[in-house]
Amino acid sequence: MEKAYNSKEVEGRIYELWEGKGLLNAEPDAKKKPYCIVIPPPNITGILHMGHALNNAIQDILIRFKRMQGDEALWLPGTDHAGIATQNVVERKLAKDGKKRHDLGREKFVDEVWRWQKEYGGTIIKQLRRLGSSCDWRRERFTMDEGLSNAVVEVFIRLHKKGLIYRGNYIINWCPRCQTALSDEEAQHKELNGHLYYIKYPIKDSKEYITVATTRPETMLGDTAVAVNPKDKRFKELIGKTIILPVVNRELKVITDDLIDPKFGTGIVKVTPAHDPNDFQMGQRHGLESVNIMNPDATLNSNAGNYDGMDRFEAREALLEELKERGLLLKVTPHDYSVGHCYRCHTIVEPYLSKQWFVKMKPLAEPAIAAVKKGKIKFYPERWTKVYLEWMNNIRDWCISRQIWWGHRIPVYYCPKCQEASDGEKGLVVARAKPDKCPDCGSGTLVQDEDVLDTWFSSWLWPFSTFGWPFESGSQDKQKKDLEYFYPTSCLVTAQEIIFFWVARMIMAGLEFCGDIPFKDVYIHGTVRDDTGTKMSKSLGNIIDPLEIIDEFGADALRFSIISITAVGQDVYLSKQKFEMGRNFANKIWNVSRFLIMNMKEEISADLCAFYAKEKLTLADRWILSSFYRTLDAVTKSLESYRLNEAANLLYEFIWHKYCDWYVEIAKSSIGEYKTQFILFKVLEKSLRMLHPFMPFVTEEIWQKLKAKEPIMVSPWPHLQDQMIDQASEEAMERIIEIVVAIRNIRAEMNIEKKQQVDVVISTSRADVVKLKDELSIYSTRLADVKSLTIEKKAKRPEMSASAILDFCEIFIPLEGVIDIKQEKQRVEKKAKEFEGLLMALSKKLKNKDFLNKAPKDIVDQEKAKEKVLREKLKKIQENIKNLS
């Protein structure tokens, strides 16, 4: 084996080995239990970020674990066409050449997007390979490929036939930048520091006026009524009167509606049906006119009078100035409120009256609610169940039409002649392909709907459309068998922000179109943040590039480090330094494997169980075998319950501390013996198998060096051997280790030279500790340079001795003749004075109010922690001085 592990040289070669041998592939096998994960398809615009790294590391660990357990494990990959995001990217590319999409026209622009997709769309897939993702790449799908496009059309037609897809004029979330409708989930709300503007509205034929309060004064130009709550007695006499809309001079009637909050503003509100969802509902109930004052780009239109052509926010300021000049702006007060923003470009969205296509969600939600309530689908962590159910119980219809060009075009065709006459369902055809003629008038001039479907309309079909559903031809028999075998899938791994966008909709789609849930478990992981707790973003400059981490530390280091610090469902706090732990662990495993291979005299082939039954094992042998199987049991249970960080930390503790730090050190004195080599080898190879899902590259490379018959990724998961779990041996060895560590600590504190042997006296009240004398003598001599060991019940402390106290004993090391006591005392006293000076300065700093008030909290906390450590060290030094007196 090479002296050092070189991840750059190993990873590409090992991945080619797996792919070349077809080890990533999965096929239906009646003899095996299916296990399937469909990848959350990354956008084709995306490049690998730490969120992807975490998400895909989790999925790969689960797939590799189940593959080794003997399941037929399929990880199905693919990418999402990402309608708005991809169109924006290509439009920016055109803008560099001074062009707009309208200069090309729809057909040529879509061709341009396809060219971009072919050139750049596979970037993230290549990057997932570098992470070690063991997907079946033969099955890779794209949400705009022919098969998935057919599924989208089929679903639209079926839902329309059932009356669950409809078209209508409704208030929707409109992005003026992207110039498209957005679903409620795509219009992410953010708290803004705004204002409440109190405006006078004159009462007709009166010198009196009413006062309304609004956060969006520009929309008053579209007011068609004012409203009060029917139970609000303050405004009883106002009902039936006519109000004059300032600036526009439109007459407004006063209506009453239970929706009005008497405590908001003055209790009288303006009603703008075309620009507010609540006002739209009121307008429907009261038969109000809807006056749209905005163009699609959020400039004001001719209905806004003198403000025609002005940007919405520019118009706001100009209108407020006019109201002020007319004496109609009574006051302005600070007011925090929540405003929707486009999830792609972060522009403030506009509630906008528009004709759009919608899906009725309540009928689809009911079985999806029942499936989760009955436990057919389980969320990990469980708290997300409540979040899911709350949203589903209050679900609103889904606006699925988007006013962009890249995406699945809505399969609806219009007869211009019939539509002009009726503006309804007449002359409207929902079909898989363009009809030859209008079914109502016979005209051959039909045009397809200009809009495309929401990106999520294809994504919600992902768990079954990727297998070829809806299987229209006999040539799809294999795909049908694949779906029957692998569906429902086993687990979905995703982030919390798309529970509503994607997870809930997939559950509804699976039940509606396949008659079954799409997955059994949903694992929701946290958000990746920097070490200050701030969400990573390009604009903040706190991004850690996973590809740079792979280049510097290796893919295994990235995977193991990020998983080990990611508790179930909790956010992850990352810094570049945290990946050093994973790299150091990979190097540790490499070095111990190299040590063993260099010292092995013959091939190990015997069965461990048979060996265990006939060989006479030492306490250390029994301890390491028992610890291994206890760890195996705990790791298996942790993986099966999605506690991946617990599994990683259990592995780290066993391999690094128990196997490498202790057993290998103990075994060095008898490394030439077959028995020692046998146990070292068996524990190592089983540990490598257990570690493989987390660190696939280094474990496979070492496995190949061990001359294994088959790659580790298809080797079986170790079997639990209960008969080797020996509680008594574990407890005995752990006590011996504690005593050896205490002796080593005394040696270090008292500055005893490494080769200097010492006498040790142990006082204990426990008979089981006294019984350890023979074993302890052997191990303490090898590991702590102990010359003689005495263990007695209530042993007397020798003069001039250093001591350590454990829960079950007290340890003494006589110092006379071991060190120069006078010289050591002088050294320690000098050290004590240094510590006292440091502590005095630090205490003074922590009493300084300016420092406490002005310094960042993390700096203050660091200084307090430093003070605590100094006090503990000083206390230990003072004890040592006492021991030397």
Side-chain angles (χ1 to χ4, degrees), residues 17-26 67 73 134 700 711 713-714:
L17 168 75
W18 295 331
E19 201 163 7
K21 286 181 173 286
L23 304 182
L24 311 179
N25 305 341
R67 188 183 286 124
S134 58
E700 187 70 82
M713 77 173 286
V714 290

Side-chain angles (χ1 to χ4, degrees), residues 71-245:
D71 292 359
E72 189 64 17
L74 169 63
W75 188 8
L76 197 152
T79 49
D80 194 290
H81 68 277
I84 295 173
T86 305
Q87 178 156 316
N88 285 346
V89 167
V90 177
E91 284 194 77
R92 283 197 294 271
K93 180 174 175 283
L94 289 174
K96 289 177 182 177
D97 299 326
K99 295 179 183 177
K100 293 183 178 179
R101 63 179 164 118
H102 294 281
D103 297 332
L104 274 69
R106 182 172 195 141
E107 190 175 336
K108 288 185 178 178
F109 176 78
V110 170
D111 288 343
E112 185 68 25
V113 182
W114 274 111
R115 277 193 290 275
W116 185 93
Q117 186 268 340
K118 285 178 174 62
E119 188 173 353
Y120 300 106
T123 300
I124 196 162
I125 293 298
K126 293 170 189 168
Q127 294 169 342
L128 287 174
R129 280 178 156 90
R130 289 202 63 193
L131 188 66
S133 302
S134 58
C135 300
D136 185 345
W137 298 110
R138 303 170 307 156
R139 297 175 179 268
E140 184 184 338
R141 301 304 301 267
F142 175 48
T143 51
M144 285 277 285
D145 69 27
E146 185 181 356
L148 271 70
S149 296
N150 290 338
V152 165
V153 172
E154 179 68 23
V155 163
F156 189 98
I157 291 170
R158 288 192 191 187
L159 291 177
H160 187 265
K161 278 183 180 177
K162 288 185 75 171
L164 294 179
I165 281 184
Y166 64 95
R167 185 176 64 145
N169 278 305
Y170 291 92
I171 286 281
I172 46 89
N173 303 294
W174 181 265
C175 175
R177 157 64 184 79
C178 300
Q179 293 211 19
T180 183
L182 301 172
S183 68
D184 290 337
E185 293 73 37
E186 290 168 324
Q188 298 164 349
H189 277 68
K190 299 177 185 176
E191 288 293 324
L192 295 184
N193 299 320
H195 296 90
L196 204 52
Y197 302 91
Y198 290 80
I199 303 168
K200 295 178 181 179
Y201 281 37
I203 299 174
K204 187 180 179 182
D205 301 328
S206 169
K207 292 182 180 180
E208 295 181 347
Y209 60 85
I210 62 168
T211 304
V212 301
T214 179
T215 57
R216 298 162 65 221
E218 68 280 7
T219 62
M220 67 180 285
L221 302 172
D223 288 358
T224 55
V226 294
V228 297
N229 190 294
K231 296 175 184 174
D232 196 334
K233 295 177 181 177
R234 294 175 296 170
F235 308 115
K236 196 174 181 181
E237 294 179 5
L238 192 63
I239 297 164
K241 292 188 177 181
T242 302
I243 308 300
I244 302 299
L245 177 63

Side-chain angles (χ1 to χ4, degrees), residues 756 759 799-802 813-821 884:
Q756 175 69 58
D759 297 321
E799 291 184 8
M800 290 288 191
S801 62
I813 297 181
L815 300 173
E816 199 165 2
V818 174
I819 59 172
D820 185 325
I821 292 176
L884 293 167

